[in-house]
Amino acid sequence: MLDRLTRGLAARDILLLHDGTPGTRPRGEAAVLAVLPPLLARCAAAGLRVGSLAPVAARASPAAAAGR
């Protein structure tokens, strides 16, 4: 999974990692939680910043557009 997520990863790319009903690994741990630490390490090594889409979503929401 880590190789698929990082293959060709570049600045301004968006990775969506969902945490609802995650796939599990053989020992029962959530796959997304298992891949997150090495994913963040690869991003840091490549000089990529990691953040949340919440600020972007807030700017794009109808309420934000209406000035609420």
Side-chain angles (χ1 to χ4, degrees), residues 17-53:
L17 303 176
H18 299 280
D19 58 359
T21 316
T24 56
R25 299 184 59 168
R27 290 181 288 164
E29 72 270 19
V32 69
L33 295 179
V35 79
L36 192 55
L39 173 62
L40 294 174
R42 281 198 189 178
C43 288
L48 300 172
R49 292 184 309 164
V50 176
S52 169
L53 279 179

